[in-house]
Amino acid sequence: MAIWIEEDAKVLVQGITGKQGMFHADKMVEYGTNIVGGCTPGKGGQTVDLQGKAFPVWDSMFDAIKETDADATVIYVPPPFAAEAIMEAADAFDTIKGEGVVVCITEGIPTLDMVKAVAFVENRPGVRLIGPNCPGIITPGENGGAKIGIMPGHIHAKGRIGIVSKSGTLTYEAVAQTMSIGEGQSTCVGIGGDPVNGTGFIECLAAFQADEQTEAIVMIGEIGGNAEQEAAAWAAENVTKPIVGFVAGATAPPGKRMGHAGAIISGGKGTAEEKFAAFAAAGIACAKDPSELGAVLLESLKAAGLR
Amino acid sequence: MNIHEYQGKALLKANGVPVLEGVHCTSVDQALAAYDHLGSKVVAVKSQIHAGGRGKGTLYHPVTREHVMDGGVKIAFSKEDVDTYANNILGNLLVTIQTGDEGKVVNNLYIEAGCDIAHEYYLAILVDRENKSVLIMASTEGGMDIEHVAETTPEKIHKISVDPNAGLLGYQKRDLGLALGLTGAAHKAFVKSLTSMYTMFVANDCSMLEINPLVRTSDEQIIALDAKVSFDENAEFRHKAWDDLRDLSEEEDVEIRAKETGLSYVKLDGNIGCLVNGAGLAMATMDVIKLYGGEPANFLDVGGGANEEQVKTAFSIILEDPNVKGILVNIFGGIMRCDIIARGVIAATEALSLEVPLVVRLAGTNVDEGKAILAASTLNIHPADDLAEGAQKIVNLIGGGN
């Protein structure tokens, strides 16, 4: 087991005929992801060549899911159309299967579009949205696995550490840190750096807590909002597995957007200091430097009798 | 993206929200003409900068930093007053609690007619991250620092969460008006204004619309006496009109150029320049520099797919800052390959004849090729295997922090 995405999950790619979509679809197939085709309105009936094999393209997500019985979709659609792509996928999964995972990689979607799209997805309780503005989700397997997103597959290995993070490359850093102490990952989820997104920290922590394969959790936050504080308080009550944490942005000046749309300290709220304090209060072992995540994780595993 | 009060008010007016008559000016002569035009005995002379706390701010001479006047928003009772205030404000530096010590030069004035205020309220519309919806906040305690009100008397702040499927509903608007103690004509006017403001917020992709104060006049009108409007930059593609509202003098020139080349750059006060891929890792890199006793000079995210040219632009932007005494490059290659970054770093350091120490930490895709390229170069590039080592090396190379 892993969370939400099994190693052999059937995956569709929305925007598969675009430059980004095709590039990453190819990388996913190379990694071993079970890509079953894609969707680009107006390009139905065509095929796309990935790793020397032809993959079908549909005009609509309804057709694509009916034909393939897909479990998940990943969206590489430009910002003006991405929120609608999320809703199309959610509607199709809900109508046809009653469930499905929608992963949106796109950065730069208008916030009010996301307010609408998130409400639309939440009305379809069987559908899970991950992202947007995220690296995606990966469940490493024995040979390959399910890589749904843009992360470099080769740095991962199957294991027992669950990782959840708002950031892309910082997640890769966390993955490398687990590998440095000889630990692999159950599932790594990038929840994204936008102010309004789908799946949050708490849902990830709950899923990792319930997952048999996961024995410890790494949680990476950043400045802005209070999702980390809420997750820490929730974890103190509900998570028995060891959690190791880091928060980026301790040196960020207030009122400035630090790359991610959601990474901003506004009205003195959402600072790294606040979040580290909430982590510490919840018994989460904190690294002050991401290069120390491995060492802190190792200590936590030892303390829990897992090493 | 922020706009000035006078622009926000024009937008409110166009959407049917009552505002007082006012004139935007960029010179003292225009301000005097505006006074005559408005025909109001009492007018407000308001500094226009993209920062709050203007009324309680202080004006200084931009060069000598000599004290000029207290208060960036003044009430003028005569044409002579307008003359004095406009002279004291235009071209001078306004320092408020939100500008930092460096302050902002005031290039724009707003001269506004007066009105007879019966009560001041607070009203804001914003995106609530926690509830993933639009939130409306209102209070009877207008004209004050709302964060202070929230801390000391939270019961005086009323909130409405807008259901994205249903929109802002009639009963929500009526109830909010009643919670503010409004009745009769004023209640009716409030409901109408709130409807218009919400429509404007959504239609213009605002991220914040704050009216502090929103006033009730002695004749029961509801008027927006201030306007703080900001837009969601992600929606820029569908709002061509924003080009005309953007005041480039309010933004850091170098941050604008960085954005044009697809880089995300924020200038800081330290002396170690950073070049990183990914926003989270870029922040973490700054944090770790600080942790090992240094001070970061900037935040710089080159994005997920930077090419050689962008790396070069990134270096030149970092080096424009005269405080930079050393540079730390931290790349975790995913989509981005380390060998491409290594070539970009070498090309940039050669082209810019880099004189400050450079530490490069590479990890991820094609890391061995990348490291080999750097090692084979005759340039003085210090390699590092992880972030901590990279940060320690650059801090040591420049001889400690600031």
Side-chain angles (χ1 to χ4, degrees):
Chain A
M1 273 302 282
I3 69 167
W4 303 323
I5 294 293
E6 298 300 323
E7 286 174 45
D8 57 353
K10 294 192 282 289
V11 181
L12 286 165
V13 180
Q14 284 170 268
I16 195 169
T17 56
K19 192 179 159 215
Q20 290 289 320
M22 204 181 298
F23 176 82
H24 290 291
D26 188 74
K27 294 277 173 205
M28 287 188 276
V29 171
E30 184 185 35
Y31 183 73
T33 308
N34 186 11
I35 299 288
V36 292
C39 175
T40 300
K43 304 250 168 116
Q46 298 184 5
T47 59
V48 165
D49 182 81
L50 307 171
Q51 297 285 313
K53 203 184 145 206
F55 288 81
V57 179
W58 284 273
D59 275 320
S60 99
M61 281 299 286
F62 275 85
D63 291 344
I65 294 169
K66 269 183 213 151
E67 293 290 333
T68 62
D69 190 37
D71 302 302
T73 179
V74 56
I75 298 173
Y76 297 96
V77 170
F81 317 106
E84 195 176 311
I86 291 171
M87 293 188 270
E88 181 188 352
D91 193 6
F93 273 128
D94 180 62
T95 306
I96 297 163
K97 305 186 66 172
E99 61 175 3
V101 176
V102 180
V103 182
C104 186
I105 306 301
T106 310
E107 176 172 10
I109 304 176
T111 307
L112 291 179
D113 286 8
M114 278 316 302
V115 167
K116 228 186 275 176
V118 166
F120 188 95
V121 173
E122 281 176 357
N123 277 338
R124 290 157 178 80
V127 178
R128 169 168 305 286
L129 170 64
I130 294 170
N133 190 10
C134 77
I137 177 168
I138 182 167
T139 295
E142 301 292 353
N143 296 299
K147 161 178 134 78
I148 308 181
I150 58 174
M151 64 290 279
H154 65 87
I155 64 170
H156 300 80
K158 185 173 179 169
R160 57 177 177 168
I161 311 298
I163 299 181
V164 53
S165 167
K166 272 186 179 175
S167 148
T169 43
L170 200 47
T171 315
Y172 313 160
E173 195 79 58
V175 168
Q177 284 292 310
T178 63
M179 299 299 281
S180 75
I181 58 161
E183 295 286 343
Q185 308 84 43
S186 51
T187 301
C188 307
V189 192
I191 61 171
D194 272 2
V196 175
N197 62 356
T199 299
F201 282 117
I202 293 177
E203 290 157 283
C204 294
L205 293 177
F208 282 134
Q209 172 68 19
D211 174 42
E212 279 176 21
Q213 187 185 332
T214 305
E215 294 187 35
I217 302 163
V218 176
M219 176 169 158
I220 312 274
E222 63 188 32
I223 53 163
N226 69 351
E228 289 84 352
Q229 295 89 314
E230 286 185 350
W234 188 89
E237 299 291 321
N238 299 286
V239 180
T240 55
K241 298 175 182 178
I243 308 179
V244 170
F246 175 75
V247 179
T251 48
K256 280 276 190 184
R257 191 165 125 162
M258 306 302 280
H260 284 158
I264 180 163
I265 299 168
S266 38
K269 298 273 166 59
T271 63
E273 199 186 345
E274 243 176 80
K275 290 168 195 266
F276 270 122
F279 278 11
I284 296 172
C286 292
K288 286 282 176 196
D289 165 357
S291 326
E292 285 172 1
L293 278 167
V296 176
L297 177 62
L298 183 59
E299 253 175 61
S300 295
L301 289 172
K302 280 181 181 161
L306 293 166
R307 284 279 286 250
Chain B
M1 170 186 160
N2 297 319
I3 60 172
H4 289 298
E5 174 197 357
Y6 76 90
Q7 297 168 318
K9 283 186 171 164
L11 204 54
L12 284 166
K13 193 177 174 188
N15 281 277
V17 180
V19 294
L20 296 170
E21 202 184 343
V23 182
H24 166 227
C25 311
T26 53
S27 72
V28 176
D29 286 347
Q30 283 178 5
L32 294 172
Y35 180 79
D36 292 336
H37 167 79
L38 290 174
S40 165
K41 172 85 177 137
V42 180
V43 299
V45 180
K46 308 178 92 175
S47 305
Q48 302 289 292
I49 57 167
H50 288 179
R54 292 170 298 165
K56 292 196 178 84
T58 310
L59 286 143
Y60 298 94
H61 188 278
V63 182
T64 63
R65 301 280 307 196
E66 246 174 288
H67 176 271
V68 176
M69 182 170 75
D70 285 331
V73 174
K74 299 298 249 189
I75 303 301
F77 296 93
S78 66
K79 199 169 175 178
E80 288 68 41
D81 281 355
V82 173
D83 192 17
T84 309
Y85 296 147
N87 265 303
N88 285 347
I89 292 172
L90 280 171
N92 284 325
L93 214 50
L94 179 57
V95 177
T96 80
I97 46 164
Q98 289 186 11
T99 60
D101 290 343
E102 68 270 30
K104 280 187 171 174
V105 173
V106 189
N107 299 313
N108 295 281
L109 265 187
Y110 193 53
I111 310 289
E112 190 173 62
C115 74
D116 190 6
I117 299 171
H119 191 87
E120 299 188 334
Y121 304 88
Y122 173 91
L123 186 88
I125 309 181
L126 55 130
V127 176
D128 178 10
R129 300 172 63 143
E130 278 69 49
N131 285 319
K132 303 177 183 185
S133 61
V134 173
L135 179 76
I136 299 176
M137 276 170 63
S139 173
T140 50
E141 310 300 296
M144 324 216 289
D145 174 15
I146 198 66
E147 264 124 33
H148 180 70
V149 177
E151 252 168 51
T152 52
T153 48
E155 72 281 1
K156 288 187 174 163
I157 294 186
H158 309 280
K159 294 180 180 178
I160 292 179
S161 191
V162 182
D163 183 327
N165 296 306
L168 180 59
L169 299 167
Y171 77 89
Q172 293 183 302
K173 293 180 267 190
R174 292 192 301 271
D175 288 358
L176 189 60
L178 293 174
L180 296 177
L182 295 167
T183 53
H187 184 266
K188 213 173 152 191
F190 172 80
V191 168
K192 189 165 174 280
S193 283
L194 181 55
T195 307
S196 302
M197 283 187 232
Y198 178 73
T199 307
M200 167 181 153
F201 183 90
V202 174
N204 290 278
D205 277 295
C206 295
S207 49
M208 168 80 143
L209 169 56
E210 185 180 55
I211 314 288
N212 189 20
L214 178 76
V215 302
R216 175 166 54 87
T217 60
S218 48
D219 57 353
E220 299 294 288
Q221 290 188 69
I222 295 291
I223 293 172
L225 215 58
D226 194 8
K228 191 173 166 191
V229 180
S230 55
F231 300 129
D232 170 16
E233 305 223 11
N234 282 355
E236 199 174 350
F237 65 84
R238 59 188 177 205
H239 297 284
K240 292 285 167 267
W242 291 0
D243 288 349
D244 300 329
L245 296 175
R246 195 179 279 274
D247 181 353
L248 292 176
S249 72
E250 287 279 344
E251 297 171 33
E252 289 266 357
D253 173 52
V254 54
E255 290 176 15
I256 299 166
R257 269 184 295 124
K259 201 178 148 202
E260 279 165 3
T261 40
L263 308 169
S264 179
Y265 173 89
V266 177
K267 194 185 169 309
L268 302 170
D269 297 331
N271 55 11
I272 298 176
C274 326
L275 190 165
V276 190
N277 66 329
L281 191 58
M283 280 188 269
T285 303
M286 292 161 27
D287 298 348
V288 174
I289 287 172
K290 175 98 175 172
L291 190 65
Y292 291 107
E295 290 286 344
N298 65 274
F299 165 93
L300 196 159
D301 171 13
V302 291
N307 53 33
E308 218 174 285
E309 197 50 40
Q310 277 170 310
V311 173
K312 200 174 135 192
T313 310
F315 265 98
S316 65
I317 281 173
I318 291 170
L319 289 169
E320 270 178 45
D321 178 355
N323 294 333
V324 170
K325 301 280 184 289
I327 297 176
L328 173 59
V329 173
N330 182 23
I331 300 291
F332 203 114
I335 314 162
M336 182 180 272
R337 286 160 39 194
C338 291
D339 52 330
I340 291 183
I341 284 292
R343 283 200 193 91
V345 167
I346 288 174
T349 49
E350 278 173 348
L352 301 164
S353 36
L354 187 76
E355 283 166 7
V356 299
L358 172 64
V359 174
V360 179
R361 181 271 176 138
L362 298 174
T365 308
N366 290 8
V367 60
D368 294 335
E369 292 92 321
K371 282 183 176 172
I373 290 167
L374 292 181
S377 122
T378 53
L379 296 164
N380 193 15
I381 298 172
H382 305 268
D385 285 326
D386 66 24
L387 178 49
E389 188 195 340
Q392 284 162 345
K393 268 194 179 169
I394 192 68
V395 171
N396 289 335
L397 281 164
I398 66 160
N402 271 348

